[in-house]
Amino acid sequence: MKKKLIEVALPLEAINKESAREKSIRHGHPSTLHLWWARRPLAACRAVLFASLVDDPSSLPEQFPTEADQDRERQRLFRLIERLVLWENSNNRAVLDEAHAEILKSTGGHPPAIYDPFCGGGSIPLEAQRLGLEAHGSDLNPVAVLITKALIEIPPKFAGQPPVNPAAKAKLSGKGMWTGARGLADDVRYYGQWMRDRAFERIGHLYPKVEVPMEQGGGEATVIARLWVRTVVCPNPACGARMPMLRSFELSNKASKKAWVEPVIDHALKRVRFEIGSGQGSPPGGTKLRGRSTCLFCGNTISDAQLREQARNHGADPIPLATVAEGKRGRVYLRSPEIEELQEVAPATPWLSQPLPGNARWFSPPGYGLLTYRDLFSSRQCLTLTTLGKLVTEAHSQAVADGADPERADAISTYLAFALSKMADRGSTICTWGIQRESVQHTFARQAIPMTWDFVEINPFLAGTGTLEGSVAWTAESLDCAPACVRKKGVATQLDARDAGQPGYAFSTDPPYYDNIGYADLSDFFYVWLRHSIGSIYPDLFSTLLTPKVQELVATPYRFEGSEEKARANFEDGFSRAFSNIRAAQDSKYPLTLYYAFKQSESEESSDENAAVASTGWETMLEGLLKSEFQVTGTWPMRSEWTHRQIASGTNALASSIVLVCRPRAESAPITTRKDFLFSLKKELPHALRNLQKGNIAPVDLAQAAIGPGMAVFSRYKKVLETDGSQMRVRTALALINQGLDEVLSEQESEFDPDTRWALAWFEQHQFDEGLYGEAEVLATAKALSLLGLAEAGILHSRAGKVRLLRREELPTDWDPASDKRLTVWEVTQHLIRRLEKQGESEAANLKAQIGGMAEIARDLAYRLYTLCERKGWAEEAGYYNSLVVAWPSMASEAFELR
């Protein structure tokens, strides 16, 4: 069996660089077509698919007989991949044709169809189609299926066709003007404007202009947004007023136009209104802070539990906060009317009466009395979205009247409904006002719907993000860039992954990450509106009131009477069945590629902070994989985040997906013992980990990346037997792999100088806090050091019988490594972090160039310190070491140029 390139080598840094860069590309990127969670970067999918089909030169000894020949050919393929992953080459026919030719050469002219049974946002089928392959995607979730259809099915049907709208017909258009799906995109823009005009006729009066005071320029101004704050009844019996729950009273914190609201309290009527403050003053403190809320009227403070109770029992009614308008002198903040009522009766919206999920992890509003999807929208928002939903249907009829055949009208309506989804995302009462950018934040700022206490209603008839014009523009621009002129058409179907696939396919997939994301629950937010607007076009997809839940492969205990064990068993069983199906259908000439990103964070039942770690998410996925007789033959960490600091947000999130390359395990696979497994693991894991470090895997991802080479050892055996004869669990193997990782990092301490080894030992006990002088002296003596020498080395501070490591902010800013007579890896690492944090990558690169070879050892120390901080729960400190390693490639490039 020929090895594929992905089983031997990849130009990982180039792939990772472009995968991360994609996050900054918005206009025209397929991800902007419709929101989906945890999409894989297109660059990574393209590279993985290509490398899964193309032979590694070592499999072709007749053509490449020597290692040097093989390496030259491998480098040629690498250069192609480096061009292939560039965003600018996404639709470069010459590059795509070259890649397709390589695929044909390795597949005998008959490449397999690519199947993704968990297609989600459609990245993998889209990139398969871009490479000229037959692409199939399926998903249980109808929203995911519709997104994938809109990426791979619909655009090719109308490739090269001119628009059907009257405006385009009235213009002279040359041959070849409407390449790709641009003609369809033009229709989407036209009928989007048609919808806007009719919507304004019907509901434009809901967004009237306002008068601006003379001191702010005077005249009439268009409202950009209305800001609101929710209130709850104060439980103080002597008060009973409605307490406004504000995180912050700020409206804008831009230096040139700071603005905030000042509460004006009427104690007699127990009412509050808000005036606008600006200039040199400062806003009051928020009334809704973490864990407690304060009544503006009586000063009573209540807990979050009391807040939830009051909201459930007495409602969380909103009151006007401020109005944002476009005045003669620019954007202005105005006092809102104290009472504003819509004259229209809110429309009947039975499709919004469905209950919100009862999972507080992903949905906070039900805990505060917001129980249905209707409760997530104000009356004005609901009326606006309902009107536009009806107009999507009317636009379909209008397109047919203008000469479109029913299939094209269906396509136009589909993309207009996607624009409606964008408006819903920016048009719910979960949306807040961003005081830095002075714009609306969307509902899904994270993978959940939180409870928000102040919210914003934007004017949908303006231009910009979240408006109808802006939403249509984003949708059409994605369609403009769709790879519509393809060799093979794609197919997206609604199907349970346990039943997906046909013999002869090559599978590549990004399955659910245990309980990380509740896809079905979250997508219902869009499903209810899509079903209302285009349900008649896709009756099979929208046959149910909400998305299917029972069969979904996500470990959600609330669907199993709160039982985590039942949820876990359902997940594992589902994965086992899905992988068994894949194994039966997989073309044996090609490997299965599997993306997975689940951070390990669970200790094996022990109070010992040094206990080995195993992850339920990884365990259950791997159990399903191994039960299906797959073995891991390769592992690649695919980074999808920018190399900029992750510290600023106070998080230390995974930056990578781990791509597992798998083959069916041979029937003749041996059985081994725990002892022999550990022997093989200790023999192979250190080399694999060193390669990962050389490849600059982020410390936060190292434990996840280590699973690949560790499981490659474990999965090659049919069974690993414990000393009592029982079969070793995957969870045990994961713990042993983590233990091996820790041992490898500990062994790397031999590279460190004695001063650094002392600092590392002291840091593990005290971090940067003080400890007893005597304790420090005992530790130093054991390592043949003196505390005086350590102080002279610039590592520690000693005073009044106490000792501590010097903090980074205490390090000398004019430090010169060339003149340091006792240079240590510890201070090199801390100075690099300080320089990176305070002065940026360029200055850190300059320092790295001065340090020379010791810099690489400093990076090893960063890995060790990150692991130590992670185990201790020092998340913020861990972030600094993670950021140093993540920034290393760009620092290395700049340092090389400075030599």
Side-chain angles (χ1 to χ4, degrees), residues 6 90 127 144 147 164 166 236 291 321 375 453 481 515 548 582 676 718 731 743 756 822 828 830:
I6 198 168
S90 296
E127 293 312 308
I147 294 170
V164 299
N236 179 2
L321 186 64
D375 294 334
W453 290 95
C481 298
D515 62 348
I582 289 172
D676 287 342
K718 186 173 291 185
R731 189 173 189 83
E743 288 172 2
T756 297
R822 191 164 171 167
V828 165
Q830 302 302 335

Side-chain angles (χ1 to χ4, degrees), residues 637-860:
M638 296 288 181
R639 190 171 61 242
S640 58
E641 301 298 331
W642 277 106
T643 57
H644 300 319
R645 295 182 302 121
Q646 296 180 36
I647 306 166
S649 64
T651 63
N652 225 6
L654 282 176
S656 300
S657 288
I658 308 306
V659 177
L660 297 178
V661 186
C662 306
R663 293 272 193 177
R665 189 170 56 227
E667 296 270 341
S668 58
I671 295 173
T672 194
T673 63
R674 179 188 180 104
K675 179 181 177 181
D676 287 342
F677 166 61
L678 285 172
F679 177 81
S680 298
L681 190 65
K682 290 182 179 181
K683 181 181 176 182
E684 298 178 36
L685 190 60
H687 177 70
L689 292 176
R690 177 54 79 181
N691 284 339
L692 285 170
Q693 288 177 307
K694 286 179 179 177
N696 217 67
I697 178 73
V700 70
D701 298 318
L702 188 58
Q704 279 61 240
I707 290 172
M711 290 309 298
V713 177
F714 183 75
S715 64
R716 74 171 63 128
Y717 301 109
K718 186 173 291 185
K719 290 180 182 179
V720 176
L721 300 179
E722 297 280 16
T723 52
D724 62 359
S726 63
Q727 185 172 345
M728 181 181 286
R729 296 184 306 156
V730 167
R731 189 173 189 83
T732 303
L734 285 172
L736 291 172
I737 291 166
N738 273 282
Q739 194 176 78
L741 167 63
D742 199 55
E743 288 172 2
V744 169
L745 293 176
S746 297
E747 287 168 6
Q748 289 177 1
E749 290 183 24
S750 62
E751 301 174 354
F752 306 150
D753 54 85
D755 291 356
T756 297
R757 291 201 293 271
W758 180 91
L760 184 60
W762 185 260
F763 180 87
E764 185 170 6
Q765 296 301 317
H766 301 283
Q767 211 204 78
F768 292 104
D769 296 332
E770 288 184 334
L772 295 175
Y773 184 95
E775 182 185 349
E777 189 172 38
V778 169
L779 182 61
T781 302
K783 296 182 182 294
L785 299 170
S786 72
L787 294 186
L788 179 61
L790 290 166
E792 291 174 351
I795 285 181
L796 64 78
H797 171 79
S798 174
R799 186 185 66 177
K802 296 290 180 67
V803 170
R804 63 173 171 80
L805 290 167
L806 281 176
R807 302 184 180 102
R808 280 184 290 274
E809 60 269 21
E810 298 174 310
L811 298 174
T813 55
D814 58 350
W815 180 69
D816 178 13
S819 60
D820 192 319
K821 296 179 180 178
R822 191 164 171 167
L823 192 62
T824 68
V825 177
W826 178 270
E827 58 183 327
V828 165
T829 305
Q830 302 302 335
H831 274 287
L832 281 169
I833 291 173
R834 178 187 170 120
R835 191 75 65 93
L836 177 65
E837 176 68 7
K838 300 297 182 184
Q839 296 175 267
E841 286 182 3
S842 294
E843 286 301 316
N846 186 30
L847 180 58
K848 181 181 182 298
Q850 297 174 49
I851 293 164
M854 188 178 280
E856 297 301 320
I857 305 175
R859 184 177 64 168
D860 289 345

Side-chain angles (χ1 to χ4, degrees), residues 499-572:
D499 303 317
Q502 295 178 15
Y505 289 160
F507 285 78
S508 183
T509 192
D510 178 26
Y513 304 149
Y514 196 64
D515 62 348
N516 273 14
I517 303 170
Y519 295 98
D521 286 343
L522 296 176
S523 62
D524 278 337
F525 178 88
F526 298 114
Y527 181 89
V528 292
W529 290 108
L530 290 168
R531 186 172 185 265
H532 167 62
S533 58
I534 56 172
S536 60
I537 297 175
Y538 302 98
D540 292 339
L541 283 183
F542 294 100
S543 61
T544 54
L545 294 176
L546 294 174
T547 61
K549 305 293 191 304
V550 176
Q551 309 99 306
E552 187 187 27
L553 287 182
V554 177
T556 48
Y558 87 98
R559 292 186 193 153
F560 297 89
E561 297 84 38
S563 170
E564 292 186 7
E565 185 54 39
K566 287 182 180 179
R568 177 185 179 281
N570 178 71
F571 183 82
E572 185 179 319

